[in-house]
Amino acid sequence: SESLVVCDVAEDLVEKLRKFRFRKETHNAAIIMKIDKDKRLVVLDEELEVCSFRFFNLRKTFIVYSYKYQHDDGRVSYPLCFIFSSPLGCKPEQQMMYAGSKNKLVQTAELTKVFEIRNTEDLTEEWLREKLGFFH
């Protein structure tokens, strides 16, 4: 039987996520992470300074997204959203590593807005706004 593999989070990534949380910029930005299977570590894949959802559609990974959220009452907030993409058709071994490491990453980065998506085609701004609506 396959056991759940929990990967640690690379130290430099922990620091990058901490700085990202307190960033002053107001545009949407993302940190995209992946698992280094050999090292069994969650590592930085890419950092996007100004981005929109079309950059995420083909990713099979972890995303921390700083999103400019315009509330219905006119207020603006910048929630840090964790999006876990586990697309159908992903190798079982890879799915186990990502699923096993998700909670560790969420705890390490102190993320509270955690969303999972199976079909990356569904990852749109409307989808995220609907998910964030539950928090307000």
Side-chain angles (χ1 to χ4, degrees):
S1 76
E2 291 192 42
S3 61
L4 207 57
V5 175
V6 178
C7 299
D8 281 321
V9 183
E11 282 301 314
D12 58 336
L13 178 57
V14 172
E15 181 60 21
K16 187 169 284 297
L17 287 166
R18 192 187 64 73
K19 286 182 177 162
F20 191 68
R21 171 185 295 282
F22 297 109
R23 64 195 279 278
K24 301 284 184 255
E25 295 82 8
T26 58
H27 54 268
N28 296 343
I31 289 182
I32 299 171
M33 296 152 285
K34 64 181 180 183
I35 289 180
D36 181 323
K37 282 195 305 209
D38 300 330
K39 294 181 183 170
R40 292 193 169 189
L41 272 181
V42 179
V43 297
L44 178 69
D45 183 16
E46 195 176 354
E47 199 170 353
L48 300 173
E49 261 313 308
V50 178
C51 64
S52 68
F53 284 89
R54 69 176 180 273
F55 291 110
F56 302 147
N57 283 349
L58 302 172
R59 305 264 175 203
K60 298 169 180 66
T61 189
F62 299 127
I63 301 166
V64 174
Y65 190 49
S66 177
Y67 176 64
K68 184 175 182 177
Y69 183 61
Q70 189 85 39
H71 298 263
D72 294 336
D73 63 8
R75 291 177 300 121
V76 175
S77 64
Y78 301 90
L80 216 49
C81 306
F82 178 76
I83 302 167
F84 170 55
S85 166
S86 175
L88 303 164
C90 198
K91 289 185 195 144
E93 175 199 3
Q94 190 181 12
Q95 275 186 324
M96 296 286 282
M97 282 184 109
Y98 276 88
S101 304
K102 180 183 90 168
N103 289 342
K104 172 97 174 193
L105 179 56
V106 166
Q107 289 169 347
T108 302
E110 299 175 13
L111 300 163
T112 55
K113 292 170 178 61
V114 178
F115 311 116
E116 188 166 343
I117 194 159
R118 293 296 266 182
N119 182 354
T120 52
E121 306 290 307
D122 296 338
L123 184 52
T124 63
E125 188 162 6
E126 292 73 33
W127 175 85
L128 183 60
R129 288 188 62 79
E130 182 183 316
K131 295 289 185 189
L132 286 171
F134 293 114
F135 288 93
H136 302 286

